[in-house]
Amino acid sequence: MLIEQAAYGNRWRRVSPAAKGSLALAGLLAAFVAATPATAAFVALLLALTTVLGARVPAGVYLRVAAPAVGFLALGSLSLLVAVGTDTAGHLSWGLAPDAGPRIATVAGRSLASLTALLLLVLTTPLPDLIGLLRYLRVPEVLLDLMVLCYRMLFVLAAAVRDTLTAQSARLGYAS
């Protein structure tokens, strides 16, 4: 998996997970307190550059991992354009939200900065190290077990897809 390859192959592989977790937490706090969209965008840029240049995670890998989340963020931001309410007669109405631009910019900026903080953590810290950190922080074992189970299911699903594609190719499933 792409995230796992980046986590094991970056320059910060041997850095303490607590240090990387602290840096990610500081990034999340900076994203939360960012007063303007420009400040949030600066935090996002700084964290992304730290991951790509500092940890030497390849930029292409970073963009491929970030793209689905950024797409989801863009779609979510579009939903803030719509305002739902009632008209004077009490009927349900909807339309463009007044003053939606600044609100969308603030939410999207903070969300993007938060995303880059979390990407810094997951692209530089392998899951066993992250689980060890969370165990040290006394996260309940049931949550850690669910995390590991979901993580393992990703590999099982990837293997099933690979086996299915191999079987289809062997039977000339893509011949026409």
Side-chain angles (χ1 to χ4, degrees), residues 25-89:
L25 182 61
L28 284 171
L29 290 174
F32 181 72
V33 299
T36 64
T39 305
F42 178 73
V43 169
L45 179 66
L46 188 63
L47 289 167
L49 288 175
T50 301
T51 306
V52 172
L53 299 178
R56 293 214 177 117
V57 172
V61 170
Y62 189 88
L63 292 174
R64 284 181 56 198
V65 170
V70 171
F72 183 77
L73 173 62
L75 286 175
S77 296
L78 288 178
S79 69
L80 294 175
L81 284 173
V82 178
V84 178
T86 56
D87 58 12
T88 56

Side-chain angles (χ1 to χ4, degrees), residues 99-169:
D99 300 330
R103 184 175 41 165
I104 291 172
T106 301
V107 169
R110 287 179 176 171
S111 298
L112 186 63
S114 299
L115 171 67
T116 57
L118 292 177
L119 283 176
L120 183 143
L121 182 63
V122 300
L123 289 174
T124 60
T125 311
L127 187 71
D129 295 349
L130 193 55
I131 294 291
L133 174 63
L134 293 174
R135 188 168 280 129
Y136 176 77
L137 295 174
R138 301 189 190 278
V139 171
E141 281 295 322
V142 68
L143 292 178
L144 297 178
D145 289 343
L146 282 171
M147 204 169 133
V148 170
L149 181 66
C150 292
Y151 183 74
R152 174 70 184 132
M153 288 306 297
L154 290 174
F155 288 100
V156 170
L157 178 63
V161 167
R162 186 182 60 246
D163 292 346
T164 301
L165 291 174
T166 301
Q168 288 175 340
S169 295

